[in-house]
């Protein structure tokens, strides 16, 4: 069997970015993204750096607000409210992880829905539920873009999503349902019941967003399946996904590399959400 084709996020991201450059030029002024970083978590700092670089390359103003690790939840919410009131700010993003005593989803509830460029406000999540998609969670949307790139028609396909977080698995399941895929969402309960393998084995499309290296064995992959690995895990000095790549690539038709799959696309989608928010405002 031939090796799977690589589903590289960069190629799709570059196409999106080309369109975004033109959209920015058509706006009266450069859109402004306010990014809130609490503390100095190294992975969040790296993510912020890459966001800032891409924003600048597109003509977007990226304002980083680095706040002290000691900030309380109420103080952070007050900060968000100030950015809501600032008409020069088009979009707000709260970087994760946050300190343990701050609830990320609660903070997101205070972002104005039309400035919530990550699609985390309940109003925006609710719109996804009703199929009135406006701003959609970036990672879930990145997965949909990758699937679209393969040319697959999702209608009636057996899609298995592993992971049911608010930022990836749950919104993704809704987006897939919108396309009439048959969606199974697996989570820790599925694994504990010993049923993860049987669900993965019948997936025509498998999307994994857990954060556990090697959780999905390569020989579980159905021949010809499309495999999208959202997971990011540091193993020694390497970054790997949740799927055993080498063996999975011998069975899949398409597979995302990690790094280089979903990641590069997520930031491009974030910028697209910002520009769409600025246009709507
Ligand atoms: P969360 O920790 O919020 O969610 C992980 C999910 O996996 C939960 O639903 C959890 O279930 C489930 N889970 C945990 N253990 C198992 C198991 N043994 N079997 C099946 N399901 C399990 O993580 P995120 O959704 O935020 O992120 C998931 C991964 O994706 C991480 O590695 C993260 O770094 C990566 N990521 C990558 C992005 C990118 O741009 N490439 C963007 C966002 C995330 P339960 O909650 O019930 O325990």
């Amino acid at each position: 069997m031939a090796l799977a084709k690589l589903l590289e996020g960069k190629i799709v991201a570059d196409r999106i970015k080309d369109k975004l450059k033109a959209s920015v030029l058509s706006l009266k002024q450069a859109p402004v993204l306010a990014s809130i970083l609490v503390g100095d978590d190294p992975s969040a700092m790296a993510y912020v750096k890459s966001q800032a670089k891409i924003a600048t390359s597109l003509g977007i103003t990226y304002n980083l607000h680095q706040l002290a690790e000691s900030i309380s939840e109420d103080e952070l919410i007050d900060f968000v409210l100030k950015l809501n009131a600032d008409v020069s700010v088009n979009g707000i993003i709260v970087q994760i992880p946050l300190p343990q005593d701050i609830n990320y989803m609660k903070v997101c509830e205070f972002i104005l829905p039309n400035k919530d460029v990550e699609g985390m406000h309940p109003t925006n999540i609710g719109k996804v539920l009703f199929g009135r998609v406006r701003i959609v969670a970036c990672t879930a949307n990145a997965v949909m873009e990758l699937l679209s790139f393969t040319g697959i028609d999702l209608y009636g396909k057996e899609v298995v999503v592993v992971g049911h977080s608010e930022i990836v698995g749950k919104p993704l399941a809704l987006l897939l349902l919108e396309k009439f895929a048959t969606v199974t969402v697996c989570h820790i309960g599925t694994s504990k019941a010993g049923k993860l393998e049987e669900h993965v084995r019948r997936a025509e499309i498998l999307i994994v967003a857990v954060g556990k290296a090697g959780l999905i064995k390569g020989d579980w992959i159905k021949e010809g399946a499309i495999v999208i690995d959202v997971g990011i895990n540091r193993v020694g000095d390497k970054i790997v996904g949740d799927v055993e790549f080498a063996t999975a690539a011998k069975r899949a038709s398409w597979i995302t590399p990690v790094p280089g799959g979903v990641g590069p696309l997520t930031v491009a989608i974030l910028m697209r959400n910002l520009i769409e928010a600025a246009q709507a405002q």
Side-chain angles (χ1 to χ4, degrees):
M1 165 106 197
L3 275 183
K5 284 181 267 189
L6 280 184
L7 201 39
E8 287 176 289
K10 188 178 178 310
I11 298 171
V12 187
D14 285 347
R15 286 187 190 176
I16 293 175
K17 284 190 265 180
D18 284 344
K19 286 194 194 144
L20 293 184
K21 274 183 200 157
S23 307
V24 170
L25 290 176
S26 72
L27 288 167
K28 280 196 195 116
Q29 55 203 39
V32 175
L33 177 58
S35 164
I36 304 176
L37 174 67
V38 179
D40 55 3
D41 176 82
S43 61
M45 302 248 293
Y47 193 41
V48 159
K49 216 170 146 188
S50 114
Q51 285 172 4
K53 193 171 157 202
I54 292 172
T56 309
S57 74
L58 296 174
I60 291 167
T61 304
Y62 188 90
N63 289 342
L64 177 64
H65 303 275
Q66 193 164 3
L67 307 178
E69 180 90 33
S70 58
I71 194 168
S72 69
E73 189 175 85
D74 284 345
E75 286 167 334
L76 180 56
I77 289 169
D78 279 344
F79 195 82
V80 166
L81 296 178
K82 272 189 207 130
L83 293 174
N84 281 345
D86 183 343
V87 287
S88 72
V89 172
N90 301 105
I92 302 169
I93 171 171
V94 178
Q95 307 292 341
I96 45 177
L98 287 171
Q100 278 207 327
D101 50 352
I102 300 183
N103 180 330
Y104 171 69
M105 291 308 285
K106 184 176 170 194
V107 174
C108 289
E109 283 181 29
F110 286 87
I111 300 176
L112 276 178
N114 67 351
K115 292 192 179 187
D116 163 41
V117 286
E118 283 197 293
M120 283 295 118
H121 189 281
T123 298
N124 289 327
I125 297 173
K127 287 198 173 174
V128 177
L129 182 69
F130 289 107
R132 284 162 38 214
V133 172
R134 204 178 58 180
I135 300 179
V136 184
C138 302
T139 311
N141 211 355
V143 172
M144 295 304 286
E145 289 286 347
L146 287 172
L147 288 174
S148 164
F149 181 78
T150 67
I152 189 141
D153 180 4
L154 292 169
Y155 198 96
K157 291 288 183 307
E158 285 288 343
V159 184
V160 173
V161 178
V162 187
H164 66 162
S165 71
E166 278 76 23
I167 68 164
V168 193
K170 283 183 190 168
L172 186 54
L174 294 173
L175 293 172
L176 290 161
L177 273 178
E178 244 346 90
K179 301 285 180 196
F180 290 90
T182 306
V183 187
T184 304
V185 183
C186 300
H187 40 71
I188 192 71
T190 321
S191 278
K192 286 197 172 155
K195 292 183 178 164
L196 185 61
E197 177 179 348
E198 73 183 62
H199 287 295
V200 170
R201 280 195 183 275
R202 58 178 181 72
E204 294 173 283
I205 298 168
L206 174 70
I207 301 151
V208 191
V210 171
K212 288 190 178 156
L215 177 70
I216 307 296
K217 307 297 168 218
D219 63 7
W220 295 357
I221 304 300
K222 189 181 176 75
E223 290 281 345
I226 296 177
V227 178
I228 301 196
D229 191 350
V230 183
I232 301 174
N233 309 287
R234 182 169 286 281
V235 176
D237 59 354
K238 276 192 173 164
I239 299 288
V240 299
D242 294 338
V243 180
E244 284 180 351
F245 182 85
T247 34
K250 289 184 187 149
R251 302 173 67 85
S253 56
W254 288 91
I255 189 166
T256 49
V258 179
V262 181
L265 202 44
T266 309
V267 183
I269 305 266
L270 173 71
M271 299 307 158
R272 186 169 72 187
N273 284 352
L274 173 78
I275 291 164
E276 284 174 5
Q279 284 165 340
Q281 288 158 19

